[in-house]
Amino acid sequence: MTTVTVGQIVAEVTGEGHPVVMIHGLGGTSNMFQPQMEALSAYRVIRLDLPGSGRSARPLEPLTIEAMSNAVVRAMEGVGVTRAHFVGHSMGTIVCQQIAATQPSLVSSLALFGALAEPAEATRQGLASRARLARSGGIADIADQIVANALSAHTRQTSPAAVAFVRESITRQDPESYARTCEALAKATAVDSRRISAPTLLVTGEADTVNPMSVGQALADRIKGAIFSSLDRCGHWATVECPRESSQKLADFLRRVDR
């Protein structure tokens, strides 16, 4: 494994083969895809910390979905990747869609976990409130809210390690950067899904209350040929709540695409 910094992004690069670029969601880092690494052993995997998240520095310019997408593309160029499978979670799925719609030559396929096209109005307002709470010193309170509301009851009851991972992922974020990321997500707008031509898989937990199955199914219906799949007793953080099932669905999808 090699850790590199390209522009505003810290990336971990592992393995050989067709590239897979992995993009986390709000409050996440590259580590949320650690459970999938064994399933991706035949690929060159590039896991990114988006600008202002995880180990990546707070950007100087305003943070937007478009800025995140551009930073991802620059990071790909920096590690010599011209085309890749893209895997995203939550906010990261919007970044994936942005790249697929505007630069389709870069995208071999999309695998979107807990996907959405854009936040609902109530979610936008909630994100603005969360940004204020982060700036006021409430990042731990945000983490507790996410554990209580974004993870499934089954995960909270049976997987304390997953609960601890999610809470640690949130509390370790830089509060100002997290607030700016909340505001960027709150302003996100849907791309024209008709411009997405890459094979697409959408996976949503059946107990996801952040982006419910209806949201994922509606997006799948707008992307030509997209496949929608669900995970039993799984909340929003599918890759860590249901790691084996998520890895299996991802590996099966990539095998079909690569035939």
Side-chain angles (χ1 to χ4, degrees), residues 3-123:
T3 302
V4 298
T5 301
V6 182
Q8 301 171 347
I9 282 185
V10 173
E12 287 188 1
V13 183
T14 307
E16 299 294 335
H18 191 84
V20 177
V21 173
M22 310 190 86
I23 306 174
H24 63 80
L26 174 64
T29 70
S30 60
N31 286 320
M32 73 170 300
F33 298 112
Q34 182 63 34
Q36 284 66 58
M37 292 304 293
E38 183 176 353
L40 296 175
S41 60
Y43 296 89
R44 185 184 184 206
V45 181
I46 300 96
R47 288 183 290 168
L48 309 174
D49 284 350
L50 290 170
S53 294
R55 290 165 290 178
S56 295
R58 184 190 305 171
L60 298 176
E61 68 273 10
L63 192 57
T64 63
I65 294 295
E66 290 75 14
M68 294 180 203
S69 302
N70 291 337
V72 169
V73 172
R74 288 195 296 271
M76 291 175 63
E77 294 170 351
V79 297
V81 172
T82 58
R83 186 172 174 84
H85 299 297
F86 279 74
V87 181
H89 172 248
S90 195
M91 181 185 72
T93 71
I94 301 180
V95 176
C96 289
Q97 292 169 66
Q98 174 77 21
I99 295 170
T102 59
Q103 302 192 61
S105 64
L106 299 179
V107 181
S108 298
S109 72
L110 297 176
L112 309 177
F113 289 85
L116 73 164
E118 63 181 11
E121 185 55 38
T123 303

Side-chain angles (χ1 to χ4, degrees), residues 8 34 40 45 71 79 83 86 91 124 130 149 154 166 183 244-245 247 251 253-254 258:
Q8 301 171 347
Q34 182 63 34
L40 296 175
V45 181
V79 297
R83 186 172 174 84
F86 279 74
M91 181 185 72
R124 296 182 196 277
R130 195 186 298 181
N149 298 317
H154 179 73
V166 172
E183 292 165 345
R244 290 185 181 87
E245 297 89 341
S247 297
F253 171 68
L254 292 180
D258 287 336

Side-chain angles (χ1 to χ4, degrees), residues 94 97-99 101-102 117-118 189-196 222:
I94 301 180
Q97 292 169 66
Q98 174 77 21
I99 295 170
T102 59
E118 63 181 11
T189 56
V191 302
D192 183 352
S193 55
R194 294 171 299 181
R195 298 175 65 188
I196 298 176
R222 293 196 295 272

